[in-house]
């Protein structure tokens, strides 16, 4: 790759025309200049460590990926981290995942280790937490079953207390009760934090968490009564041995019930110690964490790949007398790419705000104040649903925007898209998430009459929904006007859903029935509320930002693009509710197209600012230097299918026919084998 | 099949796993499985006759033939194999080739079932459920291209070899740097009059042929599309037959670099390939010369009409419309059957958990897609008929409808593949977490379907081509020309016919609603066309004006396709001979399709005052009101698609509804489960865990 190819020259030219400082924007995305420096250092060390090097992930079999990931993770945690003085508490920790690309024991450290502290007593935490934190035991969080996921109370695994031996006897009474899906459970974990229905003297006490050892600590063989294994291939997550676990009369000591919230005395007396609501706290934590690593990062990667590739992929003529143009010059292509780029920025800013809220909440929890929990729970559920939905859809649009090459693993995009797909159904199925968010909103709609709502729902206090004053494209570029549009629409839709619900109840239907019947409207209410939050939060974030004018301009335009794009996607909602009229919708549409043209020259800079190294991107199409075709060719040559010129096993199947062809085309002389 | 090559590695693994498989399954579930009572209840309560509907979909004879062929193939133990989700890429490739070779041999033994071309198509579509691409391009692209573009001498030379699989070919058009934009292809073929040969070259890295199916490891020959140069002049893209591999030992010939392009999202068994040509010489007679010729001295003769070469592409697009209908029908089958047996949550405190099919939110996800699958079915029939009619006209030298056909097939290909692509994901997610497992069948269904959006013409480009034709029609209409069949409405003045909110409008009348779709399409096409005109009067050239209006042009072409589909669905039902109850139920489906189409793009209708806001709300409600009615027959409506379990390849979509037992059985095939302790434990985990074990 000595000389510059046409593609490399094209992307070089793009970079020369960028109107703002990419480095400044990178610092804003990271949080500060200092954070950028820390991140780059972590990435540099990990990328250049010879032990962490690997061949293309995309050419490995699932089993190789699984083993390779364990190898790298063990080395990283046990050798590299101690050498660098890194721990899970250091500032560097938040960049480990990004730099490593994939790692094992994520569920272990993300769910199993913290659960010791959130569910265990002090003594229990002392016994297990340190072993788990040091990877001397490996565990997972076993909740979901074959037959039940999001609906927790339906779980069927039971733990029956046996007073005689002071043990719990754990059973999966039928096949649908088998634990199914927990990550790292199939082959790695030797312990599980198991959710099961507690039964004492025939009485059911609901879901409780138990520490259960499932494999022998010397041989790693499953213990008696334990059937455990891998659940087979999925769309993605090749490195994770999601498992099944079938327990038959497995006994654990009484002390293995994690007893921070409730405990069972030796004689079988059950005592409740704290509110179950605390359990919601850990779900909120998971959802908050998920937005950064499973939504913002992969979507930003996909944007980087698609925009860079579109800058160097030339196809078709815009002017019959001139050369072929980069596909990025086509307005229809810009219309696919740039709204997704805007989404990546908006999701980034919104998840930052959510984390801020969560940190403040945690401080209050320490002093016993959990008043904000319902708001935070509703917001995190709704945001999880909305952002996973928008970004998986967005990533898929980006993949297809790369044409045929996007379908190749070499583009890196299938890898990203496939992984994101799971996010819409894990950690709470999205429809259920919207409905939970709506439940909170319906309560708020009631209270709005007293005008006492605060925080993210305060806008509901003011029931008037003014008409949008926008008359020109310039008006629609104003973030204040756009925020107001979304606020008005959310208000209308939430009030509508609330009154539909009230109508059904007044007509004599019981609450649960009424709720089910108006569910489609409730979901809309939740969606509009979350859209309002996203638009307002990101616009305010940008308004309040101290930065150079060119960067501010770009970010303002991205926020406006996001808001306008979603108006134009469903103008009906705005018109029906009187928030906008037809003529305004027309202008909104033109303004979006206008913005695409304005942002076009900076597009490469805007994705460069995400600052992914080529190693992290793992994409032949998205590499920084734009040299896409040579990279694809080099990558394909590494494919296992190409180890030999003739693929012998399969050629044996064809040879008899092909030799007959030879006889005809080349004469019978050569035909005798 | 001779024994030496019927026993592949995959066979060995199958046999091994069959005998080795540890019996995990618990005794309480080992009893012979009956049909799950929840799904049986659905079938018992149906008001329509599933068999009557199946006959309507396939035709009586076709259906019975399909079933016989399926019995012949799926009851044949030679085809058995571990689930493909557990094969490595290389095993998948080899297994695909094994089955494909087997099928060629077995075809002659099925002569009582396979009599004509139609039967061969039916046979191939049964085999397609194995992932049967090994000779796919050989049959659908290589042979038809030769049949269409060979001179009679060339036919005699090549075709018999192809029919007997004595050579295997593919169609090499797409390059690393160029796909949809054909004129941009860079491969060259220079004629050398001294030796009467063409010299083929890949002059740049971006000119390497890339993507053609079966090119990497399987094919011995390819039709290569290249820029023809003779006597110092370029004459554009022409097809050449190029031998790639030795027929002796299958090694690539000199001057040929060929290989597999690496893993993709789907199509694991297919060795999509690359091909780099370096000063590779082929005889002059290997250029396909039915339409244009190069004489021995290098003189070039032009083809009579350039549009004739588009024929194959149009046909493939029609097939993709059919493919969309099938994919969506499969996805609905899986999701609806699973929703009938999956129970979750409490609706009323204290009562048993309901089937998730009972939730309006679930019905609202699935039933509009079920209706869409039916809509696409009738559309592909109509589209195929138009294609045949136009083809007959072309054979009688009447070329008047070529452009219309091209625009319609482009628009419908893009529209149906986009909708299906999104619909498959909705169906997958409606199955919750289990939808993400390969066992559900969705990942593979999606991965194999989604390239339809980008191959055979990238969708956006196709929509723009379709729109360009529509814009031209608007101009033709203004200059007084008569517009043909599917676009004639563009010359009607529809703006005055309806205006939103006027009283006495029957919003549940489908004919009336179709007229609103027409009005929307007409408005959008005129609107986009005006944008283009305004661009031109502001000083842009046509191409610039089209590019700046392209977002609106795509919307216009979508609205046009949407109108065609809704109209075709409703009109097809009117012509149907069926029992009144079945008519009634199909009418419900058509209604949901029409209502939901408006609800989902209400903005288009309201913005243009075709509907008032409150009318749009009413229609949205009408759609929701229909859901419980459709629920009654939902399972039978998918049963009628008649996909056997072997075709669906989905544990969640099994006919008998016994999903949990079978998910568990399926997972035991995972290579990670070969041993209770995975080998990696001894290398990494064991040492790690045991360091501080004394503490426990």
């Amino acid at each position: 790759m000595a000389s510059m190819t046409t593609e490399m020259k094209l992307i070089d030219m793009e970079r020369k025309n960028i109107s703002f400082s990419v480095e400044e924007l990178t610092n804003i995305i990271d949080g500060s200049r200092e954070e950028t420096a820390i991140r780059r250092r972590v990435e540099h060390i990990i990328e250049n460590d010879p032990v962490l090097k690997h061949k293309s992930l995309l050419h490995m079999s699932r089993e190789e990926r699984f083993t390779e990931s364990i190898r790298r993770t063990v080395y990283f945690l046990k050798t590299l981290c101690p050498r660098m003085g890194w721990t899970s508490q250091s500032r560097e920790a938040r960049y480990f995942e990004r730099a490593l690309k994939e790692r094992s024991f994520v569920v272990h450290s993300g769910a199993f280790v913290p659960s010791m502290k959130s569910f265990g007593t002090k003594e229990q935490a002392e016994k297990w937490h340190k072993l788990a934190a040091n990877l001397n035991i490996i565990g997972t969080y076993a909740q979901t079953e074959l037959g039940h996921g999001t609906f927790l109370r339906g779980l069927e695994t039971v733990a029956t207390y046996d007073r005689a031996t002071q043990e719990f006897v754990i059973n999966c009474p039928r096949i649908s009760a088998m634990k199914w899906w927990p990550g790292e459970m199939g082959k790695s974990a030797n312990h599980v934090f198991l959710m099961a229905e507690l039964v004492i003297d025939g009485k059911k006490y609901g879901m409780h968490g138990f520490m259960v050892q499932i494999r022998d600590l010397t041989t790693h063989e499953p213990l008696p009564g334990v059937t455990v294994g891998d659940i087979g291939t999925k769309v993605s997550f090749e490195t994770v041995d999601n498992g099944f676990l079938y327990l038959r009369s497995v006994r654990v000591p009484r002390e293995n019930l994690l007893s921070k919230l409730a405990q069972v005395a030796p004689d079988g007396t059950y005592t409740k110690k704290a509110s179950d609501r605390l359990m919601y706290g850990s779900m909120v934590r998971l959802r908050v964490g998920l937005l950064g690593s499973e939504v913002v990062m992969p979507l930003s990667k996909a944007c980087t790949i698609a925009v860079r590739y579109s800058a160097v992929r030339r196809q078709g003529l815009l002017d019959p007398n001139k050369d072929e143009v980069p596909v990025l010059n086509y307005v229809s292509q810009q219309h696919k790419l740039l709204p997704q780029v805007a989404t990546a920025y908006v999701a980034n800013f919104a998840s930052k705000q959510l984390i801020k809220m969560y940190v403040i909440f945690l401080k209050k929890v320490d002093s016993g104040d959990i008043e904000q929990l319902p708001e935070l729970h509703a917001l995190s559920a709704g945001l999880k649903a909305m952002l996973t939905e928008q970004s998986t859809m967005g990533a898929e649009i980006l993949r297809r925007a790369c044409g045929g090459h996007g379908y190749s693993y070499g583009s890196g995009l299938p890898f990203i898209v496939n992984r994101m797909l799971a996010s819409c159904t894990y950690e709470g199925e999205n429809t259920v998430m919207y409905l939970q968010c709506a439940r909170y909103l319906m309560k708020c709609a009631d209270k709005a009459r007293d005008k006492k709502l605060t925080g993210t729902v305060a806008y509901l206090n003011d029931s008037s929904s003014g008409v949008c004053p926008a008359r020109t494209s310039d008006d629609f570029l104003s973030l204040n006007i756009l925020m107001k549009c979304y606020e008005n629409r959310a208000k209308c839709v939430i009030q509508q859903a609330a009154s539909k619900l009230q109508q059904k109840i007044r007509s004599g239907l019981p609450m649960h029935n009424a709720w089910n019947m108006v569910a489609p409207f409730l979901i809309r209410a939740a969606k509009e509320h979350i859209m309002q939050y996203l638009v307002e939060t990101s616009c305010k974030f940008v308004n309040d930002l101290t930065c150079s004018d060119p960067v501010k301009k770009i970010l303002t335009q991205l926020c406006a693009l996001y808001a306008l794009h979603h108006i134009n996607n469903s103008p009906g909602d705005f018109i029906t509710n009187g928030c906008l009229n037809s003529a305004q919708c027309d202008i909104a549409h033109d303004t979006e197209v206008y913005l695409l043209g304005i942002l076009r020259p900076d597009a490469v800079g805007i994705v460069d600012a995400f600052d992914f190294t080529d190693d992290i991107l793992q994409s032949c199409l998205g590499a920084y230097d734009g040299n896409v075709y040579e990279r694809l060719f080099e990558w394909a040559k590494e494919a296992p299918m190409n180890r030999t010129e003739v693929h012998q096993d399969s050629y044996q199947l064809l040879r008899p026919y092909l030799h007959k062809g030879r006889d005809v085309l080349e004469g019978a002389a050569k035909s005798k084998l | 099949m001779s024994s030496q090559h019927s026993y592949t590695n995959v066979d060995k693994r199958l046999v091994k796993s069959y005998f080795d498989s540890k019996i995990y399954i618990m005794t309480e579930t080992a009893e012979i499985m009956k049909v799950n009572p929840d799904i049986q209840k659905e079938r018992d309560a149906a008001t329509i006759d599933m068999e009557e509907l199946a006959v309507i979909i396939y035709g009586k004879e076709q259906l019975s033939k399909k079933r016989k062929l399926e019995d012949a193939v799926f009851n044949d133990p030679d085809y058995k194999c571990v689930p493909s989700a557990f094969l490595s890429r290389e095993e998948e490739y080899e297994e695909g080739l094994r089955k494909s070779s087997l099928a060629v041999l077995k075809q002659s033994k099925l002569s009582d079932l396979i009599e004509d071309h139609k039967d061969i198509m039916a046979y191939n579509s049964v085999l397609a459920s194995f992932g049967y691409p090994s000779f796919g391009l050989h049959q659908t692209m290589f042979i038809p291209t030769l049949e269409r573009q060979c001179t009679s001498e060339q036919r005699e030379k090549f075709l018999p070899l192809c029919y007997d699989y004595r050579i295997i070919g593919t169609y090499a058009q797409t390059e690393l740097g160029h796909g949809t934009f054909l004129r941009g292809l860079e491969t060259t073929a220079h004629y050398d009059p001294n030796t009467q040969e063409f010299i083929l070259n890949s002059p740049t890295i971006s000119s390497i042929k890339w993507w053609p199916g079966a090119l990497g490891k399987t094919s011995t020959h390819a039709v290569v599309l290249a820029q023809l140069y003779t006597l110092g002049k370029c004459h554009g893209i022409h097809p050449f037959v190029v031998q790639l591999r030795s027929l002796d030992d299958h090694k690539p010939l000199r001057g040929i670099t060929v290989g597999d392009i690496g893993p993709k999202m789907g199509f694991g068994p297919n060795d999509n390939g690359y091909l780099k040509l370096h000063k590779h010489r082929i005889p002059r007679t290997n250029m396909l010369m039915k339409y244009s010729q190069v004489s021995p001295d290098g003189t070039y003769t032009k083809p009579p009409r350039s549009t004739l070469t588009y024929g194959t592409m149009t046909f493939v697009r029609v097939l993709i419309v059919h493919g969309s209908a099938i994919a969506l029908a499969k996805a609905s089958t899986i999701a609806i059957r699973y929703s009938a047996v999956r129970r979750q949550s409490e609706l009323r405190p204290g009562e048993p958990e309901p089937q998730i099919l009972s939730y309006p939110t679930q019905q609202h996800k699935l039933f509009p897609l079920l209706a869409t699958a039916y809509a696409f079915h009738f559309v592909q029939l109509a589209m195929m008929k138009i294609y045949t009619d136009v083809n007959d006209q072309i054979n009688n030298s009447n070329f008047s409808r070529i452009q219309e056909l091209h625009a319609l097939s482009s628009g419908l290909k893009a529209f149906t593949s986009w909708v299906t692509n999104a619909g498959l994901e909705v169906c997958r997610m409606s199955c919750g977490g289990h939808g993400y497992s390969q066992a559900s069948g969705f990942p593979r269904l999606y991965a194999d379907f989604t390239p339809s959006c980008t191959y055979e013409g990238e969708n956006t480009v196709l929509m723009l081509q379709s729109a360009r034709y529509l814009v031209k029609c608007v101009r033709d209409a203004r200059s007084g020309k008569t517009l043909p069949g599917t676009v004639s409405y563009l010359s009607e003045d529809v703006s005055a016919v309806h205006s939103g909110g006027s009283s006495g409008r029957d919003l549940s009348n489908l004919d009336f609603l179709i007229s609103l779709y027409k009005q929307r399409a007409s408005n959008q096409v005129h609107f986009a066309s005006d944008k283009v005109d305004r661009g031109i009067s502001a000083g842009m050239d046509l191409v610039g004006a089209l590019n700046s209006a392209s977002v609106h042009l795509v919307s216009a072409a979508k609205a046009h396709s949407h109108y065609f589909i809704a109209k075709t669905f409703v009109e097809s039902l009117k012509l149907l001979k069926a029992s009144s109850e079945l008519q009634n139920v199909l009418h419900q489906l058509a209604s949901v399709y029409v209502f939901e189409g408006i609800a989902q793009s209400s903005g288009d209708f309201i913005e243009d005052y075709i509907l008032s806001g409150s009318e749009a709300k009413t229609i949205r409600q009408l759609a929701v009101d229909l859901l419980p009615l459709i629920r009654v027959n939902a399972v039978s409506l998918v049963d009628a698609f008649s996909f056997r379990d072997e075709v669906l390849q989905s544990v969640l979509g099994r006919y008998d509804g016994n999903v949990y037992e079978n998910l568990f059985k399926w997972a035991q095939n995972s290579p990670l489960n070969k041993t209770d302790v995975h080998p990696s434990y001894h290398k990494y985990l064991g040492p790690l865990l045991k360091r501080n074990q004394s503490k426990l």
Side-chain angles (χ1 to χ4, degrees), chain A residues 42-95:
Chain A
V42 171
E43 289 171 2
H44 181 79
I45 289 166
I46 289 176
E47 277 173 27
N48 290 294
D49 189 301
V51 186
L52 290 175
K53 280 263 176 305
H54 54 82
K55 61 176 177 174
S56 169
L57 297 175
L58 311 166
H59 284 317
M60 285 188 225
S61 75
R62 166 150 190 249
E63 232 177 317
E64 283 174 294
R65 287 269 293 276
F66 170 69
T67 305
E68 179 67 358
S69 167
I70 290 182
R71 180 188 74 77
R72 293 176 73 233
T73 310
V74 168
Y75 167 79
F76 174 73
L77 292 175
K78 288 295 156 190
T79 309
L80 188 60
C81 281
R83 190 199 302 153
M84 301 306 305
W86 294 340
T87 70
S88 59
Q89 307 305 317
S90 7
R91 284 179 76 177
E92 286 85 0
R94 68 167 80 167
Y95 306 115

Side-chain angles (χ1 to χ4, degrees), chain B residues 402-535:
Chain B
I402 288 188
Q403 278 191 312
E404 182 199 358
L405 173 68
H406 178 73
L408 183 66
S409 65
S410 300
L412 287 179
K413 181 266 184 186
F415 189 94
T416 58
S417 62
W418 264 335
V419 168
T420 300
N421 201 72
L424 296 187
E425 265 301 279
V426 172
C427 289
R428 178 186 71 75
M429 287 191 275
S430 78
C431 294
H434 291 322
Y436 191 70
S437 166
Q438 298 272 3
S440 72
F442 283 119
R444 180 158 186 163
L445 186 59
Y446 184 83
D448 284 351
F449 181 80
T450 189
S452 310
C453 298
T454 50
Y455 66 39
E456 298 306 331
E458 195 279 330
N459 277 358
T460 302
V461 178
L462 291 187
M463 278 299 189
L464 288 171
Q465 286 179 6
S466 178
R468 219 180 153 141
Y469 172 72
L470 296 172
V471 167
K472 183 183 154 290
C473 287
V474 169
R475 292 196 184 161
D476 285 355
R478 281 184 190 145
S479 64
K481 284 188 199 154
T482 321
L483 299 179
T486 56
V487 286
S488 56
Y489 72 96
L490 291 175
S491 56
E492 293 171 24
D493 179 16
V494 288
S495 56
V497 181
H498 304 297
S499 74
S502 36
S503 60
R505 311 211 302 172
D506 179 3
L507 295 176
S508 62
N509 179 321
L510 296 190
D511 291 324
F512 171 67
L513 294 182
I514 296 297
S515 73
L516 304 187
Y517 275 84
K518 175 161 84 175
Q519 193 176 350
R520 165 198 181 214
S522 176
N523 285 354
Q524 299 241 345
V525 172
H526 283 96
F527 180 74
S529 166
D530 290 346
K531 282 247 172 220
V532 174
D533 290 345
R534 254 181 282 154

Side-chain angles (χ1 to χ4, degrees), chain A residues 633, chain B residues 172 187 202 207-212 215 222-224 242-244 255-259 261 273-277:
Chain A
F633 192 35
Chain B
T187 304
S202 310
S207 73
I208 297 175
K209 295 290 175 191
W210 199 270
W211 279 113
L215 172 66
V223 167
V224 171
V242 180
Q243 183 179 342
L244 309 171
I256 300 243
T257 308
V258 67
I261 63 161
Y274 57 76
L275 169 65
K276 195 166 171 240
L277 298 152

